[in-house]
Amino acid sequence: MQDASYRTIGHLKSDGTVQDENYRTVGHIKDDGTVQDSSYRTIGHVKSDGTVQDSSYRTIGHADGIPMKWAAFFFFFSK
């Protein structure tokens, strides 16, 4: 992923691994929508209907019509 100036800001691998610009793993997005930090602690959830929740299942947003991994990246890993 790149910012507006085409600088690499991170990587989202096909297996759901989220890496920073230096390829250090900062998190994981599971196929079921569970979002974990680099130590595999759950930090959130993205439901199939687009509901985005924190680790305590409180709704923090909605991402209807957006791929689950993109929504998780935006809500939990973008700066």
Side-chain angles (χ1 to χ4, degrees):
M1 293 178 210
Q2 299 172 325
D3 64 12
S5 299
Y6 296 100
R7 288 183 304 240
T8 299
I9 58 172
H11 307 274
L12 179 57
K13 296 176 64 177
S14 61
D15 68 355
T17 301
V18 180
Q19 298 174 322
D20 67 11
E21 66 276 4
N22 296 311
Y23 294 95
R24 289 184 298 248
T25 298
V26 295
H28 309 275
I29 304 167
K30 302 297 183 185
D31 288 337
D32 67 357
T34 301
V35 184
Q36 300 172 323
D37 65 13
S38 61
S39 298
Y40 294 95
R41 291 181 297 250
T42 298
I43 59 173
H45 309 273
V46 180
K47 302 296 184 184
S48 59
D49 67 356
T51 302
V52 181
Q53 300 172 319
D54 66 12
S55 61
S56 298
Y57 294 95
R58 291 181 297 246
T59 298
I60 60 171
H62 301 277
D64 299 335
I66 298 171
M68 186 183 304
K69 287 182 181 178
W70 287 95
F73 181 85
F74 177 79
F75 275 91
F76 296 100
F77 298 106
S78 64
K79 296 176 178 151

